Amino acid sequence: RWDTRVDVTDIGVAVDEGVVTLTGTVGDYAKRLAALDAAHRVYGVLDVANDIEVKASGSGNPTDTEIAQSVREALALDVLVPEDRIHSTVSHGRVTLNGQVDSWSRLEDVERAIRYLAGVRGIVNLITVSTPRVEPRIIREAIEEALERRADREAKRIKVEVNEDTVVVSGEVRSWMEKRAVLGAVGHAPGVQALDDRLHVKPYA
């Protein structure tokens, strides 16, 4: 009810020991994401299963061709996105992204650029990350330094392992926002090509 982006009458909520399941139907992908964010902001929520379906209502909805054109325009306008290296396929409103970027954070930038476009019902991100070879030790040290600068982070609760170019992050965080902040710090470290998220939200830890 507190999130103006979400119509509460469209969403069903079930809770079992901190795990929330969202159901219902909304008119666009942005509202589906908004409902997910709203649920994660509630203290005590550990995980969210988002079973909300996106079904555009009314006539005049964008065709797959029009959505593909909008995707291309959005990528071209975003200065953080290497638009010439990204390709998309649209089927029934679902956008599949392929291509290559130079860092993990850029991979997320691409998805962010298109997630709120009209007609988009879902996104499958198959973009790969290609970065210059960086020693695992350097990657780990860069991540640990970034995490140590966060005032809301206790070093003993987060463990970072580097296997070649894949970073495994495990441990406990107290909220979804803290989890996103930790993953954001990890994703911006040099040399990260893949991120294995094993963090658990435990608000009462």
Side-chain angles (χ1 to χ4, degrees), residues 166-177:
T166 299
V167 177
V168 180
V169 187
S170 59
E172 298 176 356
V173 292
R174 292 196 174 97
S175 69
W176 175 251
M177 295 303 294

Side-chain angles (χ1 to χ4, degrees), residues 38-184:
H40 271 301
R41 286 198 301 270
V42 176
Y43 187 76
V45 170
L46 303 179
D47 300 288
V48 179
N50 194 350
D51 290 336
I52 297 173
E53 295 185 17
V54 178
K55 291 185 179 180
S57 59
S59 58
N61 295 314
T63 64
D64 285 345
T65 298
E66 291 170 332
I67 295 172
Q69 292 171 341
S70 296
V71 168
R72 180 52 49 192
E73 291 172 0
L75 295 177
L77 289 172
D78 195 317
V79 296
L80 296 177
V81 173
E83 155 299 299
D84 58 321
R85 287 186 282 160
I86 306 300
H87 308 283
S88 69
T89 303
V90 183
S91 178
H92 303 292
R94 298 186 181 277
V95 182
T96 300
L97 298 170
N98 288 277
Q100 197 173 80
V101 292
D102 296 330
S103 68
W104 183 265
S105 58
R106 287 292 176 267
L107 183 150
E108 295 186 325
D109 288 336
V110 174
E111 186 171 327
R112 173 191 47 75
I114 69 168
R115 65 174 49 150
Y116 299 121
L117 295 177
V120 172
R121 297 182 58 193
I123 298 174
V124 179
N125 196 337
L126 302 180
I127 297 171
T128 58
V129 179
S130 177
T131 65
R133 179 85 171 106
V134 178
E135 287 294 325
R137 174 185 58 81
I138 296 176
I139 298 175
R140 184 175 58 253
E141 290 176 354
I143 292 171
E144 289 176 345
E145 289 177 3
L147 294 179
E148 288 291 355
R149 290 194 293 268
R150 294 196 49 79
D152 60 349
R153 185 260 179 181
E154 297 178 13
K156 63 181 182 181
R157 292 190 289 121
I158 307 296
K159 183 178 181 181
V160 177
E161 298 179 16
V162 181
N163 182 13
E164 296 296 333
D165 301 312
T166 299
V167 177
V168 180
V169 187
S170 59
E172 298 176 356
V173 292
R174 292 196 174 97
S175 69
W176 175 251
M177 295 303 294
E178 185 179 352
K179 177 174 180 174
R180 292 180 64 179
V182 170
L183 295 179

